């Protein structure tokens, strides 16, 4: 396959960026999208040019590192896939492919396609955990009875890999799907119950502080999410937050 | 978490948006019920509509409701404006190539535009009918359908409405009908996203209720604007023929 790539190049956080054009040739349809970028970078290095910086790690679709806004969609045209699991057979020979970083004020660009998604970490740190006493006689989690439906829903929410596709695809750069998945996975389980009110209040406050936009329920995030995190989580977070306003004393 | 979270938080803005929006959906039903009386013909219809108009402008309970409605419209518009500005700030640099149609409906992405159209409609609509009823000189209905002289003459809003959509009385009648229908299409699109979105924001949507909420939203967004839109077309057509 021969392709024309239009890639966002930006030397540093404060540098002015622009879309640059790169032709690539002899691309196998069985390559992953990241492998195709590897081929381009190999070519750039050989030519003595600066390779395109991009995030990647496991390349198995489970780490949440790879990103890239490809042809107007987060993680490209596929559904339920991360960029590393997107294959070149999804494109046609001779196609022009636009590749951009996640665009959000809360995800500042570090270089080229690499953004700083530390805002997600800070949302988790604000309350996305359960406090457990390490007294030595901690109860086995399996000893607690949990309804199967709740366990399944909590597990589904917990499959969020925090890649940020929801923010990237949302017209408002809202982090509601991510935050609600992290709220839900704990709110549905007895272990998360005692801190439920404090958790949702703190995580939402942190989410607002980071400069993410507000959810307008377009549902784009759910469609583009590589893990299929449901909008139901956002409704649950809305419920949890409202409940917390009445039950929490702070 | 400060005490003002219910006002300041991004989620609180959504609650208010959903709450006022759903209240306005209820208002639409009431307004529609009133408008449908325009299908009643003759002097009976005229009397019925004017009695109703009198009730709507003088009953104290209705008055309170009308103020709640004005406040809801203003709040919904201002809150929406604040959200739109904040959301634009959350993405200062736009994508060079974006394909939002792949994952969301046009209406869901253009609620601000649709809302602005509706606000303009509400302003002109109230100028044409509400302001006339309240502030300008209006014809009066002096007798009931049986010919009995009324103790207190009724403001004849029915005639104002009929004349407004009558090309013999109003040279802009056809334009008015067209703009009215266009506005109802806009409200249909606004509702097609807004109805279910309000329930989602207030946290009502879950596995159990999602399908019924979505279905009701679709039905509401088609049936209500359609019934509203038929009325001026009907009034125009019967007066031309």
């Amino acid at each position: 396959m021969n392709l024309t790539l239009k890639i966002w190049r930006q030397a540093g956080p404060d540098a002015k960026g622009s879309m640059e054009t790169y032709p690539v040739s002899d691309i196998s349809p069985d390559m992953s999208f990241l492998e195709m970028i590897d081929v381009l970078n190999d070519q750039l290095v050989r030519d003595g040019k600066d390779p395109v910086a991009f995030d990647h790690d496991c390349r198995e679709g489970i780490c949440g590192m790879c990103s890239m806004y490809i042809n107007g969609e987060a993680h490209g045209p596929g559904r339920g896939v991360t960029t590393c699991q997107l294959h070149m057979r999804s494109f046609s020979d001779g196609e022009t492919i636009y590749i951009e970083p996640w665009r959000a004020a809360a995800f500042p660009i570090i270089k080229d396609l690499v953004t700083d998604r530390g805002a997600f970490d800070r949302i988790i740190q604000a309350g996305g955990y359960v406090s457990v006493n390490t007294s030595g006689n901690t109860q086995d989690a399996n000893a607690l009875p949990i309804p199967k439906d709740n366990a399944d829903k909590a597990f589904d929410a917990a499959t969020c890999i925090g890649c940020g596709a929801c923010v990237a695809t949302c017209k408002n750069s809202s982090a509601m799907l991510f935050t609600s998945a992290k709220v839900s996975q704990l709110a549905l389980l007895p272990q998360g119950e005692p801190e439920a009110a404090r958790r949702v209040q703190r995580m939402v406050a942190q989410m607002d502080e980071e400069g993410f936009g507000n959810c307008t329920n377009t549902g784009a995030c759910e469609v583009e999410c590589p893990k299929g995190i449901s909008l139901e989580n956002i409704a649950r977070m809305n419920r949890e937050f409202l409940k917390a306003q009445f039950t929490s004393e702070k | 978490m400060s005490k003002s979270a219910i006002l300041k938080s991004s989620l609180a803005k959504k609650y208010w948006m959903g709450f006022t929006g759903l209240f306005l959906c209820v208002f639409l039903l009431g307004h529609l019920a009133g408008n449908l009386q325009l299908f009643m013909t003759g002097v009976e219809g005229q009397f019925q509509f004017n009695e109703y108009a009198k009730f709507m402008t003088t009953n104290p309970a209705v008055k309170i409701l009308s103020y709640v409605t004005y406040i809801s419209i203003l709040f919904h518009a201002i809150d929406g404006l604040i959200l739109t500005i904040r959301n634009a700030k959350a993405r200062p640099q736009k994508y060079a190539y974006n394909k939002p149609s792949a994952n969301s409906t046009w209406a869901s992405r253009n609620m601000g535009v649709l809302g602005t159209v509706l606000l303009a409609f509400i302003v002109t609509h109230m100028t044409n009918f509400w302001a006339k009823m309240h502030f300008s000189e209006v014809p009066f209905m002096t007798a009931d359908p049986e010919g009995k002289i009324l103790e207190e003459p009724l403001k004849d809003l029915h005639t104002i409405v009929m004349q407004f959509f009558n090309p013999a009385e109003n040279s802009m009648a056809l334009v008015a009908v067209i703009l009215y229908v266009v506005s109802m299409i806009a409200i249909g699109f606004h509702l097609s996203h807004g109805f279910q979105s309000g329930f989602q924001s207030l946290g009502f949507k879950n596995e159990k209720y999602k399908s019924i909420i979505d279905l009701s939203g679709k039905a509401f967004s088609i049936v209500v604007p359609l019934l509203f839109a038929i009325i001026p077309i009907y009034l125009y057509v019967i007066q031309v023929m």
Side-chain angles (χ1 to χ4, degrees), chain B residues 41-170:
Chain B
T41 51
V43 78
E44 285 87 3
Q46 185 184 6
F47 185 67
Q48 167 77 25
F49 190 78
N50 288 334
E51 282 253 277
Y52 163 77
K54 188 187 173 189
F55 171 77
M56 292 304 282
T57 44
T58 53
N59 183 289
V62 174
K63 241 185 193 150
I64 292 169
L65 264 183
S66 73
Y67 287 122
V68 176
T69 307
Y70 302 145
I71 291 166
S72 290
I73 293 170
L74 278 179
F75 206 99
H76 197 76
I78 293 167
D79 201 24
L81 185 67
I82 293 170
L83 284 170
T84 307
I85 292 168
R86 278 186 56 154
N87 290 345
K89 275 192 194 147
R91 176 165 299 152
Q93 167 97 43
K94 305 276 174 253
Y95 289 107
Y97 179 15
N98 203 2
K99 211 164 74 183
S101 58
N103 50 43
S104 54
T105 61
W106 180 86
S108 75
R109 298 191 305 272
N110 290 283
M111 292 298 273
V113 176
L114 290 165
T116 308
V117 170
L118 295 178
L119 195 60
F121 168 77
I122 293 168
V123 171
T124 51
H125 185 66
M126 287 184 74
T127 315
N128 291 336
F129 300 114
W130 178 86
K132 262 188 208 159
M133 179 79 176
H134 283 266
F135 306 122
S136 36
E137 286 206 11
V138 289
F140 280 91
M141 200 180 181
T142 50
D144 72 5
E146 278 95 50
K148 222 170 76 189
I149 302 296
L150 296 166
E151 277 178 33
E152 207 183 315
L154 275 175
K155 281 188 174 183
D156 195 359
L157 184 65
H158 186 268
T159 300
I160 295 177
V161 174
M162 295 304 283
Q163 285 175 348
F164 189 75
F165 293 115
N166 184 354
E169 303 274 354
N170 177 8

Side-chain angles (χ1 to χ4, degrees), chain A residues 75-116:
Chain A
H75 295 296
R79 291 286 171 262
V81 291
T82 52
T83 299
C84 63
Q85 298 291 300
L86 176 69
H87 290 89
M88 295 316 294
R89 53 180 169 269
S90 305
F91 301 89
S92 42
D93 191 26
E95 197 174 335
T96 299
I97 304 174
Y98 287 77
I99 310 166
E100 295 173 75
W102 287 170
R103 297 274 186 211
F107 287 165
I109 292 173
I110 297 170
K111 190 178 185 218
D112 297 337
L113 304 173
V114 180
T115 56
D116 178 1

Side-chain angles (χ1 to χ4, degrees), chain A residues 69 72 79 98 100 103 105 153 167-171 173 201 208 214 216-217 220 224 231 235 238-239 242, chain B residues 1 9-11 15 83 87 90-91 93 95-99 102-103 108-109 193 197 200-201 203 205 207:
Chain A
Y69 208 72
R79 291 286 171 262
Y98 287 77
E100 295 173 75
R103 297 274 186 211
K153 281 186 174 160
V167 174
T169 201
C170 174
K171 80 188 238 308
S173 296
Q201 289 180 319
D208 288 349
N214 299 274
T216 50
N217 304 323
E224 298 290 347
L231 285 182
N238 293 341
R239 276 201 299 281
L242 198 57
Chain B
M1 176 62 49
S9 161
S10 62
L11 260 62
Y15 297 148
L83 284 170
N87 290 345
R91 176 165 299 152
Q93 167 97 43
Y95 289 107
Y97 179 15
N98 203 2
K99 211 164 74 183
N103 50 43
S108 75
R109 298 191 305 272
H193 177 67
S197 179
Q200 166 79 358
S201 290
K205 263 177 116 172
E207 213 179 341

Side-chain angles (χ1 to χ4, degrees), chain A residues 130-151:
Chain A
V130 287
S131 306
V132 179
N133 287 324
T134 50
S135 54
N137 54 359
T138 310
Q139 191 182 8
D140 190 306
N142 288 327
L144 290 170
I146 300 170
K148 175 80 165 78
D149 282 350
N150 286 10

